[in-house]
């Protein structure tokens, strides 16, 4: 391993600029003549707009334009789209209601966009927003998804009279029923996966710019996938053809999925830039982020699992209602279907699985992918189920899991996925040892002496990353392919620029991608620049989400590097006057086998560009190669997390005492960055389990619309994590990488809840397990114990 | 934020006259409540009168058996004051636990007391220590000062200049922070001086900070945590929200009182 190659814990190159305040986020960018946009948002969850009077706002000081849904329609600007078609059981396509960027006659959630004011200053724009007068006719809102399809429910979109987007299923119903018929024990559980609000550190922002000389647009925006944004804004929304629209996603401060999607604000800013003839800037404030960023999770599930008398799982039956909010966001339809149900086999050999999912409209913010996207929901179901099943059958939860682990690979599950490799027992062994499981009983007794309740909980998770084989997702309804592209440009003196379609918004690509180049070409990472986030620089790309940048994005770079090395060998052969077959490349030097003649990588690069030693007819000058990489399978990171915690029964406060995380991410490029991803993921997962939960009141007002009420995890909510790794390299990509970005957020919630229920002797507690909820459960549990 | 007039007087008299000149003026002390509210356009005072340059409001002194703290003294200064730490360590600890460092270095005792936020920490200390609020017009006993959520005995044009705290024999403050905001969901300040015991509760009630008579009676009989065991706390007018219902808060009042007593006893 070289100092900056694969496997080295290199410090992040990008951090110097971030910690010295030199990052360039969208809001740091100011264009000459820039104007400011402020949106009028609906204060009501569900209403028709009887009258929209903008005349006073138009007259207000500093106002340049007030634009509404009518103006968008007049310009032929289309609505926002959902890019994944899901078909119901009966074969009918999902019922996608129209999603105008500015309301056309109706508002469907608090925060919905009605009009935009563009003014000289932000203050003037906000003042003028208050001068827009709207006559609303209030409609009854649908807030509780459990009752969304009740007869007599208000209709949110005419296209779906019962508020159902789809009624979808996966798996073999008959085989699953047979499995249950043979069962000796059935575990049943009602499970809620709480609704979350993403809260990236940087709120969303956009600057639309229009060059009338070129008749071309530029959009600066907080995007995880600028090319996808350009594609959607061009091909579907109709802003401008792709060659007339440049999308730049500069430094982006966290995404967690919420910045994948194409929202109303950036659509309006880029369109309005041409209308007002000046750049238009919008930076969301935190309240807008709470109200109108796509939320995550929000499932209600009933699950049943069938076991034989020894505790072998025979079958799993799952019925889920998924809240999709008021409109279908960009990828919302696939999250509770194809990103969820195929993961319900977990790490277990389950012969039969049948899953039904109902997607539902409610008068709440749209719900879409959030760190893990479907896989945390699936993991929560299966890991709660195995925990409860083990307990009901009187078995040790670790032993129950081990009994049911998949032990031979490849393994085809009954729900699409074919796991290529893994060693679940090895992760469990290491985790039990690191967690000192054998002495847990002693620690529990010690806690009891202090009046505290101690519990331990497991989560043996699996996820599907490296999204995704294009043909496979196409057959499942995706509107795009999910390959990745890369271009490696070698400069004449051997420095390298890598253009990637992946996008870094906290993941550290400028370091890890450079490490791959350093490793392959034998040069230092200081000689490598990673270029991303600009559609005028990078030819195309699908962006960063689903822990795909390593497995897919870097595989594309790897492929391009192979081509660079192959070409460079040809150049070296001419320069060293040897035959190509005799050229060896190692540690950054091209040498002639069996001789002491060699050239450094930089010298060969120079030879490629000066082209003195070969003719252009024999070999093209220059050294630049590109590649598109389309994966052949998902990757399957997995692991075992063990949470040990202590509950104060007097207050219900839960303190996590120990956290053991053993993950199998396949090969690792930078262990320091991977650990950071695990830490952040666990923090978000603990947030979901203990602290976070979006709450709408019966009128559809978001009660948790600020940090006064929405509880984010803080450093003192978390222990120091004990991190271990096991490695089974992925067999389906050239680097053996599986991906690590979402693992912690997927693994953590069931580990926490299983530990709490273990401490309390209770089977169920809802997330977030707030002090109040835990106190109530603890009181019940203590009464029960006292009665026994 | 809406436009407003800004004034920066240097004497209490000038403050008073500035208040008389504007219909809807607000005094700016540390600004930790006022400024965020203005930024969110939830408050739109016609004028903001900045107390930051008014002389004579920023001292911490020992006067006889009392600790006297100027209205403009920042939480961080109370927390680190040798005088306060020696005489009333519970008060210094309370100040050191308000908000975060940024809040503690701007927020003032006068601002906190005048605002009487139902979740603020200081009001509990004033009530439980039997403090006196000194204004430009009079002296008001803490028991008479706090009159319900965001409501005080202050008249129009009345300005807090200092707060005077009698030194107790024993005292402690324990709070249960709201998991999200970390404001006190329940904060209990307990003090003992001679045979007198006072217990003040913040964060819990719809009526703001209050003294808990039942707990005081139990602790007067015997000042230890066990004395509080089983003493009912009437939660009928307590706050119920997504973080805690009234009965949960009532339980917390009992538990925090026990912990405060234990702490006051130095255990």
């Amino acid at each position: 391993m070289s100092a900056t190659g694969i496997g080295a814990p290199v410090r992040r190159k990008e951090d110097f600029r971030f910690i010295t305040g030199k990052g360039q986020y969208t809001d740091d960018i100011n264009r000459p003549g820039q104007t400011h946009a402020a949106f009028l948002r609906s204060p009501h969850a569900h209403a028709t707009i009887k009258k929209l009077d903008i005349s006073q706002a138009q007259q207000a000081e500093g106002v340049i334009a007030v634009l509404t849904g009518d103006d968008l329609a007049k310009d032929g600007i289309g609505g926002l789209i959902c890019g994944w078609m899901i078909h119901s059981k009966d074969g009918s396509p999902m019922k996608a209601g129209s999603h105008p960027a500015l309301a056309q006659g109706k508002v469907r959630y608090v925060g919905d966009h009605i009009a935009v004011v563009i003014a000289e200053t932000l203050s003037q724009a906000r003042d003028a927003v208050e001068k827009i007068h709207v006559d609303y006719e209030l409609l009854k809102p649908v807030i509780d998804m459990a009752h969304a399809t009740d007869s007599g429910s208000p209709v949110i979109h005419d296209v779906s009279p019962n508020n159902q987007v789809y009624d979808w299923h996966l798996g073999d119903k008959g085989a699953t029923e047979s499995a249950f018929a043979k069962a000796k024990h059935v575990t049943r559980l009602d499970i809620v996966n709480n609704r979350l609000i993403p809260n990236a550190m940087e709120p969303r922002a956009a600057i639309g710019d229009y060059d009338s000389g070129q008749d071309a647009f530029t959009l600066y925006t907080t995007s995880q996938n600028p090319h996808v944004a350009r594609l959607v804004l061009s091909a579907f929304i109709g802003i401008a053809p792709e060659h007339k629209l440049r999308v730049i996603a500069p430094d982006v401060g966290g995404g967690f999925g919420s910045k994948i999607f194409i929202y109303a604000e950036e659509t309006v800013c880029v369109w309005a830039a041409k209308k007002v003839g000046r750049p238009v800037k919008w930076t969301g404030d935190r309240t807008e982020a709470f109200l109108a960023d796509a939320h995550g999770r929000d499932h209600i599930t009933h699950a049943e699992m069938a076991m034989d008398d020894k505790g072998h799982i025979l079958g799993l039956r799952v019925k889920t209602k998924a809240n999709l909010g008021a409109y279908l966001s960009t990828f919302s339809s696939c999250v509770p279907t194809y990103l969820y149900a195929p993961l319900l086999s977990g790490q277990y050999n389950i012969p039969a699985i049948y899953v039904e999912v109902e997607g539902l409209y409610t008068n709440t913010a749209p719900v879409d992918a959030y760190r893990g996207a479907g896989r945390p929901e699936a993991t929560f179901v299966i890991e709660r189920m195995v925990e409860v099943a083990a307990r009901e059958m009187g078995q040790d939860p670790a032993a129950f899991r081990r009994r049911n682990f998949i032990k031979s690979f490849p393994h085809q599950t009954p729900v699409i996925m074919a796991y290529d490799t893994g060693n679940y027992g090895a992760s469990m062994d290491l985790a039990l040892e690191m967690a000192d499981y054998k002495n847990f009983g002693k620690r529990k007794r010690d806690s009891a002496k202090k009046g505290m309740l101690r519990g331990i909980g497991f989560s043996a998770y699996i996820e599907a990353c490296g999204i995704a084989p294009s043909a496979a997702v196409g057959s499942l309804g995706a509107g795009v392919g999910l390959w990745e592209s890369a271009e490696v440009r070698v400069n004449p003196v051997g420095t390298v620029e890598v253009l990637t379609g992946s996008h870094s918004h906290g993941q550290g690509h400028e370091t890890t991608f450079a490490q791959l180049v350093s490793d392959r070409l034998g040069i230092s990472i200081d000689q490598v620049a990673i270029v991303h986030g600009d559609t005028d620089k990078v030819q195309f790309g699908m962006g960063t989400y689903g822990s795909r940048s390593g497995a897919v994005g870097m595989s594309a770079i790897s492929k391009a590097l192979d081509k660079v090395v192959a070409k460079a060998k040809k150049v070296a052969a001419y320069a060293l006057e040897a035959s190509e077959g005799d050229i060896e490349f190692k540690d950054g030097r091209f040498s002639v086998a069996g001789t002491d003649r060699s050239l450094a990588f930089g010298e060969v690069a120079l030879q490629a560009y000066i082209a003195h030693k070969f003719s252009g007819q024999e070999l093209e000058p220059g050294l630049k190669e590109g590649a598109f990489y389309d994966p052949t399978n998902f990757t399957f990171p997995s692991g075992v997390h063990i949470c040990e915690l202590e509950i104060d029964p007097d207050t219900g406060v839960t303190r996590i005492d120990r956290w053991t995380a053993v993950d199998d991410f396949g090969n690792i490029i930078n262990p320091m960055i991977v650990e950071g991803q695990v830490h952040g993921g666990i923090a978000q997962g603990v947030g979901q389990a203990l602290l976070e939960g979006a709450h709408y009141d019966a009128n559809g007002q978001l009660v948790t619309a600020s940090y006064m009420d929405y509880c984010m995890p803080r450093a003192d909510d978390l222990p120091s994590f004990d991190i271990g790794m096991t490695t089974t390299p992925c067999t389906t990509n050239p680097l053996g990488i599986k991906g690590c970005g979402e693992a912690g957020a997927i693994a953590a919630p069931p580990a926490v809840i299983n530990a709490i229920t273990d401490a309390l002797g209770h089977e169920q507690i809802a997330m977030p397990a707030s002090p109040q909820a835990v106190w109530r459960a603890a009181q019940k549990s203590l009464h029960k114990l006292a009665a026994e | 934020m809406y436009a407003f007039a800004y004034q920066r007087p240097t004497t209490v008299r000038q403050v008073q006259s500035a208040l008389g000149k504007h219909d809807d003026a607000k005094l700016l002390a540390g600004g930790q409540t006022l400024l965020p509210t203005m930024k969110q356009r939830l408050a739109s005072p016609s004028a903001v009168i900045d107390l930051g340059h008014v002389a004579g409001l920023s001292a911490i002194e020992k006067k006889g058996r009392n600790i006297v703290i100027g209205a403009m003294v920042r939480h961080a200064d109370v927390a680190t004051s040798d005088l306060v730490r020696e005489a009333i360590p519970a008060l210094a600890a309370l100040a050191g636990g308000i908000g975060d460092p940024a809040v503690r270095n701007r927020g003032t005792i006068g601002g906190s007391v005048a605002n009487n936020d139902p979740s603020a920490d200081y009001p509990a200390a004033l009530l439980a220590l039997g403090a006196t609020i000194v204004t430009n017009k009079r002296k008001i006993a803490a028991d008479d000062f706090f009159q319900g959520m965001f409501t005080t005995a202050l008249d129009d044009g009345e300005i807090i200049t200092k707060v005077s705290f009698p030194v107790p024999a024993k005292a402690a403050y324990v709070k249960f922070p709201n998991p999200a905001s970390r404001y006190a969901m329940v904060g209990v300040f307990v003090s003992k001086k001679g045979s007198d015991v006072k217990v003040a509760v913040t964060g819990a009630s719809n009526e703001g900070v209050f003294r808990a008579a039942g707990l005081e009676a139990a602790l007067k009989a015997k000042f230890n945590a066990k004395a509080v065991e089983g003493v009912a706390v009437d939660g009928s007018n307590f706050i119920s929200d997504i973080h805690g219902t009234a009965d949960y808060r009532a339980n917390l009042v009992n538990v925090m009182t026990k912990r405060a007593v234990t702490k006051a006893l130095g255990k």
Side-chain angles (χ1 to χ4, degrees), chain A residues 77-96:
Chain A
I77 302 299
L80 307 178
I81 62 151
C82 178
W84 197 306
M85 172 53 73
I86 298 295
H87 287 90
S88 285
K89 288 172 189 168
D90 63 7
S92 63
M94 68 184 186
K95 300 188 173 63

PDB file of all heavy atoms in Angstrom, chain A residues 77-96:
ATOM      1  N   ILE A  77     -44.278  25.715 -19.682  1.00  0.00           N
ATOM      2  CA  ILE A  77     -43.372  25.004 -18.763  1.00  0.00           C
ATOM      3  C   ILE A  77     -44.165  23.903 -18.059  1.00  0.00           C
ATOM      4  O   ILE A  77     -45.202  24.164 -17.446  1.00  0.00           O
ATOM      5  CB  ILE A  77     -42.779  25.981 -17.727  1.00  0.00           C
ATOM      6  CG1 ILE A  77     -42.025  27.121 -18.422  1.00  0.00           C
ATOM      7  CG2 ILE A  77     -41.880  25.238 -16.747  1.00  0.00           C
ATOM      8  CD1 ILE A  77     -40.855  26.690 -19.282  1.00  0.00           C
ATOM      9  N   GLY A  78     -43.666  22.692 -18.175  1.00  0.00           N
ATOM     10  CA  GLY A  78     -44.392  21.536 -17.638  1.00  0.00           C
ATOM     11  C   GLY A  78     -44.224  21.390 -16.146  1.00  0.00           C
ATOM     12  O   GLY A  78     -43.443  22.108 -15.511  1.00  0.00           O
ATOM     13  N   GLY A  79     -44.961  20.451 -15.588  1.00  0.00           N
ATOM     14  CA  GLY A  79     -44.889  20.203 -14.154  1.00  0.00           C
ATOM     15  C   GLY A  79     -43.691  19.349 -13.786  1.00  0.00           C
ATOM     16  O   GLY A  79     -42.961  18.845 -14.648  1.00  0.00           O
ATOM     17  N   LEU A  80     -43.486  19.178 -12.482  1.00  0.00           N
ATOM     18  CA  LEU A  80     -42.409  18.325 -11.987  1.00  0.00           C
ATOM     19  C   LEU A  80     -42.809  16.868 -12.207  1.00  0.00           C
ATOM     20  O   LEU A  80     -43.997  16.533 -12.243  1.00  0.00           O
ATOM     21  CB  LEU A  80     -42.171  18.610 -10.503  1.00  0.00           C
ATOM     22  CG  LEU A  80     -41.945  20.090 -10.159  1.00  0.00           C
ATOM     23  CD1 LEU A  80     -41.768  20.274  -8.654  1.00  0.00           C
ATOM     24  CD2 LEU A  80     -40.748  20.654 -10.901  1.00  0.00           C
ATOM     25  N   ILE A  81     -41.794  16.021 -12.322  1.00  0.00           N
ATOM     26  CA  ILE A  81     -42.095  14.633 -12.714  1.00  0.00           C
ATOM     27  C   ILE A  81     -41.656  13.627 -11.658  1.00  0.00           C
ATOM     28  O   ILE A  81     -40.820  13.914 -10.811  1.00  0.00           O
ATOM     29  CB  ILE A  81     -41.418  14.267 -14.052  1.00  0.00           C
ATOM     30  CG1 ILE A  81     -39.884  14.356 -13.907  1.00  0.00           C
ATOM     31  CG2 ILE A  81     -41.923  15.142 -15.171  1.00  0.00           C
ATOM     32  CD1 ILE A  81     -39.153  13.423 -14.825  1.00  0.00           C
ATOM     33  N   CYS A  82     -42.242  12.447 -11.766  1.00  0.00           N
ATOM     34  CA  CYS A  82     -41.753  11.295 -11.019  1.00  0.00           C
ATOM     35  C   CYS A  82     -41.216  10.309 -12.049  1.00  0.00           C
ATOM     36  O   CYS A  82     -41.936   9.894 -12.957  1.00  0.00           O
ATOM     37  CB  CYS A  82     -42.876  10.660 -10.199  1.00  0.00           C
ATOM     38  SG  CYS A  82     -42.331   9.190  -9.308  1.00  0.00           S
ATOM     39  N   GLY A  83     -39.942   9.955 -11.910  1.00  0.00           N
ATOM     40  CA  GLY A  83     -39.239   9.238 -12.967  1.00  0.00           C
ATOM     41  C   GLY A  83     -39.219   7.727 -12.843  1.00  0.00           C
ATOM     42  O   GLY A  83     -38.362   7.081 -13.438  1.00  0.00           O
ATOM     43  N   TRP A  84     -40.113   7.147 -12.066  1.00  0.00           N
ATOM     44  CA  TRP A  84     -40.102   5.680 -11.955  1.00  0.00           C
ATOM     45  C   TRP A  84     -41.553   5.208 -11.987  1.00  0.00           C
ATOM     46  O   TRP A  84     -42.317   5.528 -11.085  1.00  0.00           O
ATOM     47  CB  TRP A  84     -39.417   5.237 -10.667  1.00  0.00           C
ATOM     48  CG  TRP A  84     -39.013   3.785 -10.666  1.00  0.00           C
ATOM     49  CD1 TRP A  84     -39.821   2.714 -10.907  1.00  0.00           C
ATOM     50  CD2 TRP A  84     -37.710   3.254 -10.410  1.00  0.00           C
ATOM     51  NE1 TRP A  84     -39.099   1.550 -10.819  1.00  0.00           N
ATOM     52  CE2 TRP A  84     -37.801   1.845 -10.516  1.00  0.00           C
ATOM     53  CE3 TRP A  84     -36.471   3.809 -10.096  1.00  0.00           C
ATOM     54  CZ2 TRP A  84     -36.700   1.000 -10.320  1.00  0.00           C
ATOM     55  CZ3 TRP A  84     -35.377   2.962  -9.898  1.00  0.00           C
ATOM     56  CH2 TRP A  84     -35.504   1.573 -10.015  1.00  0.00           C
ATOM     57  N   MET A  85     -41.902   4.482 -13.026  1.00  0.00           N
ATOM     58  CA  MET A  85     -43.271   4.003 -13.189  1.00  0.00           C
ATOM     59  C   MET A  85     -43.480   2.709 -12.401  1.00  0.00           C
ATOM     60  O   MET A  85     -42.746   1.739 -12.580  1.00  0.00           O
ATOM     61  CB  MET A  85     -43.567   3.774 -14.677  1.00  0.00           C
ATOM     62  CG  MET A  85     -44.895   3.090 -14.956  1.00  0.00           C
ATOM     63  SD  MET A  85     -46.325   3.894 -14.179  1.00  0.00           S
ATOM     64  CE  MET A  85     -46.489   5.353 -15.214  1.00  0.00           C
ATOM     65  N   ILE A  86     -44.460   2.735 -11.531  1.00  0.00           N
ATOM     66  CA  ILE A  86     -44.825   1.528 -10.785  1.00  0.00           C
ATOM     67  C   ILE A  86     -46.206   1.090 -11.265  1.00  0.00           C
ATOM     68  O   ILE A  86     -47.111   1.917 -11.437  1.00  0.00           O
ATOM     69  CB  ILE A  86     -44.877   1.829  -9.264  1.00  0.00           C
ATOM     70  CG1 ILE A  86     -43.500   2.272  -8.764  1.00  0.00           C
ATOM     71  CG2 ILE A  86     -45.398   0.615  -8.482  1.00  0.00           C
ATOM     72  CD1 ILE A  86     -42.399   1.235  -8.835  1.00  0.00           C
ATOM     73  N   HIS A  87     -46.350  -0.196 -11.489  1.00  0.00           N
ATOM     74  CA  HIS A  87     -47.648  -0.744 -11.890  1.00  0.00           C
ATOM     75  C   HIS A  87     -48.288  -1.468 -10.714  1.00  0.00           C
ATOM     76  O   HIS A  87     -47.612  -2.163  -9.960  1.00  0.00           O
ATOM     77  CB  HIS A  87     -47.493  -1.691 -13.073  1.00  0.00           C
ATOM     78  CG  HIS A  87     -47.193  -0.958 -14.356  1.00  0.00           C
ATOM     79  ND1 HIS A  87     -45.915  -0.678 -14.759  1.00  0.00           N
ATOM     80  CD2 HIS A  87     -48.021  -0.427 -15.296  1.00  0.00           C
ATOM     81  CE1 HIS A  87     -45.954  -0.009 -15.899  1.00  0.00           C
ATOM     82  NE2 HIS A  87     -47.217   0.165 -16.248  1.00  0.00           N
ATOM     83  N   SER A  88     -49.585  -1.291 -10.580  1.00  0.00           N
ATOM     84  CA  SER A  88     -50.319  -1.970  -9.512  1.00  0.00           C
ATOM     85  C   SER A  88     -50.479  -3.455  -9.824  1.00  0.00           C
ATOM     86  O   SER A  88     -50.197  -3.900 -10.939  1.00  0.00           O
ATOM     87  CB  SER A  88     -51.700  -1.334  -9.333  1.00  0.00           C
ATOM     88  OG  SER A  88     -51.565  -0.095  -8.681  1.00  0.00           O
ATOM     89  N   LYS A  89     -50.952  -4.196  -8.809  1.00  0.00           N
ATOM     90  CA  LYS A  89     -51.205  -5.638  -8.978  1.00  0.00           C
ATOM     91  C   LYS A  89     -52.015  -5.930 -10.229  1.00  0.00           C
ATOM     92  O   LYS A  89     -51.782  -6.913 -10.928  1.00  0.00           O
ATOM     93  CB  LYS A  89     -52.033  -6.142  -7.785  1.00  0.00           C
ATOM     94  CG  LYS A  89     -51.298  -6.241  -6.488  1.00  0.00           C
ATOM     95  CD  LYS A  89     -52.311  -6.557  -5.377  1.00  0.00           C
ATOM     96  CE  LYS A  89     -51.686  -6.448  -4.014  1.00  0.00           C
ATOM     97  NZ  LYS A  89     -52.671  -6.459  -2.929  1.00  0.00           N
ATOM     98  N   ASP A  90     -52.999  -5.053 -10.495  1.00  0.00           N
ATOM     99  CA  ASP A  90     -53.892  -5.295 -11.634  1.00  0.00           C
ATOM    100  C   ASP A  90     -53.291  -4.824 -12.950  1.00  0.00           C
ATOM    101  O   ASP A  90     -53.956  -4.842 -13.985  1.00  0.00           O
ATOM    102  CB  ASP A  90     -55.256  -4.637 -11.392  1.00  0.00           C
ATOM    103  CG  ASP A  90     -55.160  -3.115 -11.282  1.00  0.00           C
ATOM    104  OD1 ASP A  90     -54.061  -2.563 -11.532  1.00  0.00           O
ATOM    105  OD2 ASP A  90     -56.179  -2.485 -10.948  1.00  0.00           O
ATOM    106  N   GLY A  91     -52.043  -4.402 -12.926  1.00  0.00           N
ATOM    107  CA  GLY A  91     -51.370  -3.995 -14.153  1.00  0.00           C
ATOM    108  C   GLY A  91     -51.562  -2.533 -14.508  1.00  0.00           C
ATOM    109  O   GLY A  91     -50.946  -2.041 -15.462  1.00  0.00           O
ATOM    110  N   SER A  92     -52.374  -1.831 -13.756  1.00  0.00           N
ATOM    111  CA  SER A  92     -52.617  -0.425 -14.106  1.00  0.00           C
ATOM    112  C   SER A  92     -51.435   0.433 -13.661  1.00  0.00           C
ATOM    113  O   SER A  92     -50.796   0.154 -12.642  1.00  0.00           O
ATOM    114  CB  SER A  92     -53.902   0.061 -13.437  1.00  0.00           C
ATOM    115  OG  SER A  92     -53.766   0.008 -12.031  1.00  0.00           O
ATOM    116  N   PRO A  93     -51.138   1.474 -14.453  1.00  0.00           N
ATOM    117  CA  PRO A  93     -50.010   2.339 -14.068  1.00  0.00           C
ATOM    118  C   PRO A  93     -50.355   3.183 -12.843  1.00  0.00           C
ATOM    119  O   PRO A  93     -51.525   3.458 -12.575  1.00  0.00           O
ATOM    120  CB  PRO A  93     -49.813   3.226 -15.298  1.00  0.00           C
ATOM    121  CG  PRO A  93     -51.121   3.215 -16.007  1.00  0.00           C
ATOM    122  CD  PRO A  93     -51.773   1.895 -15.702  1.00  0.00           C
ATOM    123  N   MET A  94     -49.312   3.585 -12.098  1.00  0.00           N
ATOM    124  CA  MET A  94     -49.543   4.415 -10.906  1.00  0.00           C
ATOM    125  C   MET A  94     -50.281   5.699 -11.294  1.00  0.00           C
ATOM    126  O   MET A  94     -50.188   6.169 -12.423  1.00  0.00           O
ATOM    127  CB  MET A  94     -48.220   4.748 -10.220  1.00  0.00           C
ATOM    128  CG  MET A  94     -47.318   5.670 -11.027  1.00  0.00           C
ATOM    129  SD  MET A  94     -45.746   5.892 -10.159  1.00  0.00           S
ATOM    130  CE  MET A  94     -44.971   7.123 -11.213  1.00  0.00           C
ATOM    131  N   LYS A  95     -50.995   6.233 -10.327  1.00  0.00           N
ATOM    132  CA  LYS A  95     -51.831   7.407 -10.599  1.00  0.00           C
ATOM    133  C   LYS A  95     -51.064   8.657 -10.162  1.00  0.00           C
ATOM    134  O   LYS A  95     -51.098   9.053  -9.001  1.00  0.00           O
ATOM    135  CB  LYS A  95     -53.150   7.280  -9.859  1.00  0.00           C
ATOM    136  CG  LYS A  95     -53.903   6.026 -10.321  1.00  0.00           C
ATOM    137  CD  LYS A  95     -55.290   5.926  -9.770  1.00  0.00           C
ATOM    138  CE  LYS A  95     -56.040   4.750 -10.389  1.00  0.00           C
ATOM    139  NZ  LYS A  95     -55.403   3.440 -10.052  1.00  0.00           N
ATOM    140  N   ALA A  96     -50.369   9.248 -11.136  1.00  0.00           N
ATOM    141  CA  ALA A  96     -49.534  10.416 -10.847  1.00  0.00           C
ATOM    142  C   ALA A  96     -50.318  11.692 -11.122  1.00  0.00           C
ATOM    143  O   ALA A  96     -50.628  11.999 -12.269  1.00  0.00           O
ATOM    144  CB  ALA A  96     -48.269  10.369 -11.697  1.00  0.00           C
TER     145      ALA A  96
END
